[in-house]
Amino acid sequence: MLRIPLPTTLTSFAGFQAAAAGPTALFALGLGLARIPFSAARLSAMAGWIAPVVLIKILIQPLVTLGMIALAFKADIDIWYATAVVMAAQPIGAGAYVFGRKYGYFGEETSLAIIVSLLMTVLTLTLVLQTFAASIPA
């Protein structure tokens, strides 16, 4: 705001911290997940809650975003159109885990849903990115 030039070491350190924020949150999520005692019966009981949440997040939300943009703007696919759909196709965020744990509401299920959505988006997000890469001129 003040337009004061910052030392390169400070901006470099801030960039390093920013890049580490996401992986650190996922690491904390993994530690929380590791403390949950899982059994086959417990996992199958959680699957009834996890499967719809993951499917809504990584399939339905991007499709709704795609449809809303197509209806609202009736525009050719451009970088902003693609960005909105790609952002909607991201896995469930760690923020859901934080709130679930804080308020004692589906904390374990949310942590497992995040991991499942993260694994599934390796495939689904790749498909979305390839689809838009072919549609957007370089």
Side-chain angles (χ1 to χ4, degrees), residues 88-133:
Q90 296 294 313
I92 300 169
Y97 170 75
V98 171
F99 280 107
R101 276 292 191 206
K102 178 176 176 139
Y103 295 109
Y105 192 73
F106 287 108
E108 295 175 0
E109 291 86 347
T110 303
S111 61
L112 190 57
I114 290 170
I115 299 301
V116 170
S117 72
L118 185 64
L119 293 173
M120 288 184 70
T121 55
V122 169
L123 298 175
T124 59
L125 197 54
T126 302
L127 293 173
V128 169
L129 290 169
Q130 285 180 341
T131 301
F132 283 117

Side-chain angles (χ1 to χ4, degrees), residues 43-66:
L43 287 175
S44 65
M46 285 184 184
W49 185 86
I50 292 170
V53 169
V54 170
L55 291 176
I56 288 169
K57 176 59 184 114
I58 65 172
L59 294 177
I60 304 299
Q61 185 175 354
L63 289 174
V64 168
T65 303
L66 183 69

